[in-house]
Amino acid sequence: MPNHDWQQSSYCAEGNACLNIATAPDGTIKLRESNNPEVIVTTPTTLRIFIRGIKASNIKCATNPVAA
């Protein structure tokens, strides 16, 4: 796997599970959680639709979610 220039969310508290994002040379977007090496690959269009859907649903995100 190529070495991507991963960027971390500004909402991440140091040492916690954080969202990392990178753009690949082929134009795809790579997403991963900082404590999990699994990578999700998407396109800019698909990610844009996903984010708009979340914003439109008025989902409230917890800053410190508790595992069920």
Side-chain angles (χ1 to χ4, degrees):
M1 176 184 283
N3 191 12
H4 299 296
D5 184 21
W6 291 99
Q7 296 181 20
Q8 186 166 286
S9 169
S10 60
Y11 290 98
C12 178
E14 192 170 328
N16 289 341
C18 304
L19 177 66
N20 295 292
I21 188 168
T23 303
D26 64 1
T28 59
I29 295 176
K30 313 286 186 184
L31 300 166
R32 71 177 183 191
E33 205 174 317
S34 60
N35 65 349
N36 184 346
E38 296 284 329
V39 174
I40 297 171
V41 180
T42 188
T43 64
T45 301
T46 303
L47 183 59
R48 187 177 313 112
I49 292 167
F50 177 71
I51 291 170
R52 285 182 182 163
I54 290 172
K55 287 181 177 182
S57 71
N58 293 320
I59 295 173
K60 302 296 181 199
C61 297
T63 54
N64 291 314
V66 177

